[in-house]
């Protein structure tokens, strides 16, 4: 039987997944950056298919930026994490 404290523990999973398919195999970089400009995740690949999955459970609530750079293109998306 579960104790009262085990029943009350919140269940949270914050997983962020990106998949990038490209025509050629030039270098691509995916970064997750906090509001202080610190990179909390960074992955670079020269494969045509780039996948990234990261667990954000240990990160504080707040606004983060997801940057994807490849072939001279820079895409930025806002990520809001609420704990």
């Amino acid at each position: 039987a579960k104790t009262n404290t085990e029943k009350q523990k919140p269940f949270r999973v914050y997983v962020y997944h990106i998949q990038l398919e490209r025509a050629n195999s030039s270098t691509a970089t995916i970064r997750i950056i906090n509001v202080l400009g610190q990179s909390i995740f960074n992955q670079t690949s020269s494969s045509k298919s780039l996948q990234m999955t990261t667990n954000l459970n240990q990160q504080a609530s707040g606004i983060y930026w997801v940057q994807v750079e490849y072939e001279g293109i820079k895409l930025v998306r806002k990520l809001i994490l609420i704990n």
Side-chain angles (χ1 to χ4, degrees):
K2 293 184 179 181
T3 65
N4 283 340
T5 52
E6 287 177 331
K7 290 179 185 175
Q8 294 174 3
K9 287 183 183 176
F11 180 78
R12 296 186 313 230
V13 177
Y14 300 109
V15 176
Y16 197 78
H17 180 82
I18 294 175
Q19 183 171 342
L20 178 64
E21 301 288 336
R22 299 172 296 131
N24 62 43
S25 57
S26 63
T27 301
T29 302
I30 297 174
R31 289 184 191 89
I32 299 178
I33 300 166
N34 67 17
V35 293
L36 299 175
Q38 300 165 325
S39 179
I40 62 165
F41 180 88
N42 190 356
Q43 181 177 335
T44 301
S45 175
S46 58
S47 168
K48 286 184 179 182
S49 176
L50 175 61
Q51 292 189 34
M52 180 273 311
T53 301
T54 186
N55 184 332
L56 300 174
N57 264 344
Q58 302 302 315
Q59 300 303 319
S61 293
I63 297 173
Y64 295 83
W65 301 99
V66 179
Q67 285 186 351
V68 179
E69 293 183 57
Y70 66 98
E71 299 173 12
I73 299 168
K74 185 176 188 178
L75 304 171
V76 180
R77 297 291 183 266
K78 186 181 350 181
L79 169 65
I80 300 173
L81 182 62
I82 300 172
N83 289 332

